[in-house]
Amino acid sequence: MTKTKGLSSWSGRQRKRRAKAARKAAFFCSKTTVSANFNLKHLLGIRELSVDQITHLLDTAETFRDVSKREIKKVPALRGRTVINLFFEPSTRTRTSFEIAAKRLSADAINISVSTSSVSKGETLLDTARNLEAMAPDCIVIRHSSAGAPQHLARASSAAIVNAGDGSHEHPTQALLDALTIREHKGRIAGLKVAIIGDVLHSRVARSNIYLLSKLGASVSVAGPGTLVPPEFAALIEQGVRVERKIEDALVDADVVMILRVQRERQTDAFVPSMREYAVHYGLQLRHLNLAAPDAIAMHPGPMNRGIEISSEIADGGRSLILEQVTNGVAVRMAVLYLLAGAGKNENGIKRQNGKNGAKERKERSRK
């Protein structure tokens, strides 16, 4: 009798635990649902995304933004999943926010830097990808100095690949977090006038933002030194982008002002006489910002060089959203990881397998 009672009590507790877990899952799914139309295996760039996909990413990020405001900043969306951060370039904000995003989704986050990887011993990117693939990760976040490296990795791996910046090509999650920040403060993106100032030629942030903002209906103007914003840039990147020779012309009535970092590490020639001269002619000062709309907002992807690209008066002022961009970066990267690694589908739209069947499937793929 005692044994039967003990078993009954144990099964009752099990039922309660299952019911509690079901309620949690139902609550979470009601807050964030994976759209059947979000058919995306990798996030390699903004240019390939549709307006619906961009909007769905932003809407999902808004939901995850609330998670970071809770006392316990964690949801079980990616429990049991593995996210690898593979960074071949220095990073503070992007790498940290991807790691925080993965952990807040209850995923296992692994960080690999080039200085501690086998790449320093001569291993190729393809061999690195194959070795990581053998460990069955669900998502690999990669930053690389060469444009196209994420695409190369995507062809060699069955895991979801997220581009965290490849050379001067694209930085999709930065553009998404910028769009989320703009939408939060302006209520819309369509119809806004956006001015992008600085080293446009070497900026992956500029390219991704131009693609995204143009798709969502904003009017984009770019300005900077002639050597860093060549006249043919607009025709090569996106139709409808205006190239201005003076930053004052780009700033007139602008709703959003984006300042870009001078990327000296990517410059192979002397594109400007000196940083001092750049600061005098192209650094954003308060007198420049006064040319923009009265409610204009100032943004910078970071890291910023105070006194060169932007004055401290603006960076620390009430119109600056630089720190809000960092906050929204976590939410956007949570949304990206959830939709790519948590949607439960592989590249053929088939439900991911766990256990023996999943191991068999991964083994067959590795052979191919």
Side-chain angles (χ1 to χ4, degrees):
M1 185 73 178
T2 307
K3 187 177 180 181
T4 306
K5 186 177 179 181
L7 286 172
S8 176
S9 176
W10 178 83
S11 61
R13 288 195 298 271
Q14 284 292 93
R15 283 196 298 271
K16 285 181 181 179
R17 287 194 193 101
R18 289 196 193 102
K20 187 177 179 181
R23 285 196 300 272
K24 275 187 177 179
F27 172 78
F28 181 74
C29 290
S30 69
K31 289 286 185 181
T32 310
T33 54
V34 180
S35 171
N37 297 324
F38 192 82
N39 216 357
L40 201 64
K41 170 63 179 173
H42 311 289
L43 180 61
L44 304 177
I46 295 295
R47 194 172 194 174
E48 298 81 14
L49 298 184
S50 67
V51 173
D52 288 342
Q53 287 173 325
I54 293 170
T55 303
H56 186 64
L57 277 162
L58 296 177
D59 291 343
T60 307
E62 277 192 4
T63 303
F64 282 120
R65 193 166 51 194
D66 296 334
V67 174
S68 297
K69 297 175 183 177
R70 300 177 188 173
E71 186 176 352
I72 299 176
K73 302 174 179 65
K74 209 156 199 174
V75 290
L78 294 186
R79 183 179 293 161
R81 302 292 171 89
T82 302
V83 176
I84 296 178
N85 293 321
L86 183 61
F87 278 61
F88 291 85
E89 286 186 321
S91 173
T92 300
R93 280 156 298 278
T94 305
R95 177 171 169 170
T96 305
S97 62
F98 265 114
E99 184 179 0
I100 291 174
K103 289 181 176 179
R104 287 186 180 171
L105 292 167
S106 302
D108 298 315
I110 311 296
N111 292 321
I112 302 175
S113 61
V114 65
S115 60
T116 58
S117 73
S118 294
V119 173
S120 61
K121 300 176 183 178
E123 186 175 71
T124 65
L125 178 61
L126 184 59
D127 285 331
T128 299
R130 285 171 176 165
N131 278 277
L132 293 177
E133 174 72 11
M135 303 177 200
D138 296 283
C139 183
I140 299 175
V141 180
I142 180 172
R143 168 170 286 190
H144 203 281
S145 58
S146 299
Q151 286 83 351
H152 185 55
L153 195 64
R155 288 191 291 268
S157 175
S158 63
I161 305 300
V162 179
N163 181 2
D166 60 330
S168 299
H169 178 224
E170 277 217 52
H171 193 349
T173 56
Q174 180 66 46
L176 287 165
L177 72 89
D178 289 342
L180 183 65
T181 306
I182 294 170
R183 200 171 75 164
E184 180 184 0
H185 282 266
K186 296 294 184 180
R188 61 187 172 91
I189 291 177
L192 294 179
K193 182 179 179 183
V194 181
I196 300 177
I197 311 295
D199 183 2
V200 177
L201 181 64
H202 300 97
S203 177
R204 55 195 175 205
V205 173
R207 283 169 175 77
S208 288
N209 265 305
I210 288 170
Y211 293 142
L212 189 149
L213 295 169
S214 299
K215 284 176 186 285
L216 296 186
S219 171
V220 182
S221 298
V222 296
T227 52
L228 296 177
V229 189
E232 62 271 20
F233 178 84
L236 290 171
I237 298 299
E238 193 73 20
Q239 297 297 324
V241 177
R242 293 177 58 86
V243 176
E244 304 289 358
R245 293 271 64 87
K246 296 181 179 179
I247 66 170
E248 290 85 356
D249 295 335
L251 289 168
V252 173
D253 297 327
D255 300 293
V256 180
V257 180
M258 287 187 181
I259 310 302
L260 302 173
R261 181 173 65 86
V262 180
Q263 303 201 24
R264 283 175 280 186
E265 73 276 12
R266 302 192 198 284
Q267 297 178 8
T268 55
D269 297 305
F271 286 89
V272 292
S274 68
M275 286 297 100
R276 183 177 179 182
E277 187 167 332
Y278 180 93
V280 170
H281 294 287
Y282 297 100
L284 188 70
Q285 306 292 332
L286 193 58
R287 59 185 171 85
H288 295 132
L289 194 59
N290 290 335
L291 296 171
D295 60 345
I297 55 177
M299 306 174 74
H300 194 299
M304 60 180 171
N305 296 307
R306 288 175 180 265
I308 296 178
E309 304 140 2
I310 185 171
S311 68
S312 293
E313 192 176 15
I314 295 175
D316 301 327
R319 298 163 86 176
S320 170
L321 301 181
I322 295 172
L323 293 180
E324 287 191 42
Q325 289 174 265
V326 178
T327 301
N328 285 335
V330 176
V332 161
R333 282 148 188 156
M334 286 176 74
V336 169
L337 293 177
Y338 172 68
L339 290 171
L340 294 184
K345 292 182 179 180
N346 61 20
E347 68 273 19
N348 297 317
I350 303 169
K351 194 76 175 176
R352 277 199 185 106
Q353 302 284 336
N354 292 319
K356 293 181 180 178
N357 291 335
K360 186 178 178 182
E361 182 183 323
R362 287 190 292 268
K363 192 173 182 180
E364 287 174 356
R365 281 185 189 169
S366 64
R367 285 174 180 170
K368 291 176 184 178

